[in-house]
Amino acid sequence: LMVRSPDGIPGVTAGYYDDNGVVSALALRGDTLWIGGDFRRAGDLDRVGNLVQYNLRTGEWQRVGEFGVDRKVAALILEGDSLYVLGRFRWADTLLVDGVAIYDLRHRRWWRLEDSRGRRPSCPLDRMNRCFWYKNRFWISWERLNSSIISPEGDTVESSVIVYDRVKGWQTIEEITKGKIKTRVELIGPTSRGILGKVPVMGTSIEGYGIVDQNSVVLLDEDTVSVIIPGRKLATSNSIQIVGIDSSR
């Protein structure tokens, strides 16, 4: 990937990555572009640790933290003064984070995404399906794998979707929906009416609907779950893409 600076800046022509590297995540705010992936070099910087920021106006490369993260970055999300970094890594600088970390842009330091009870996620983010903020909650889902929420005592609970609530902390999709979804669901994305999800496997039970068809599309709104498209009405394929929803109807 080549990042080319605007013309007319003395001494600035282009920025570049390690030729053998992989870029898999981007986030942009103003003139600053954050780049994540699997690479060690960016511009004139070596050992950047798979994560770097680039100033589109001046052409300057900067490290994110001292060492970055120790393995591949899968996703970057900006929220306020925080950069949420997700990936296959375990460490951010010298902090153990297990795949989900927050970089404080104002104070230039890393944080674990722990809740008030000290619980934190442990995530197989090489199979991450979707992640996004919606109504003050941070949603993460996986394809064919579960993640874990780990307590300070070492107890774990697994779920196909985990959610960080600013007040209640980490919760599973079962807790968020108050038990209405008891097995797998994969997130599609947020809409003005709620969050769309897909049932990827047979045998999923949803309260009020019983066992629903594979590939059914569901709408999550707070603790309400509705099946809006039964799987039998869609093509019999596991590869389904929702390109939009008209929420005016």
Side-chain angles (χ1 to χ4, degrees), residues 163-174:
V163 181
Y164 180 74
D165 184 290
R166 296 187 191 275
V167 177
K168 298 179 180 179
W170 285 104
Q171 296 178 286
T172 65
I173 188 67
E174 292 84 358

Side-chain angles (χ1 to χ4, degrees), residues 180-182 199 204-212 218 225-227:
K180 293 182 174 65
I181 294 179
K182 301 184 183 301
V199 175
T204 295
S205 175
I206 295 178
E207 186 176 299
Y209 295 90
I211 303 298
V212 301
V218 299
V225 182
S226 305
V227 176

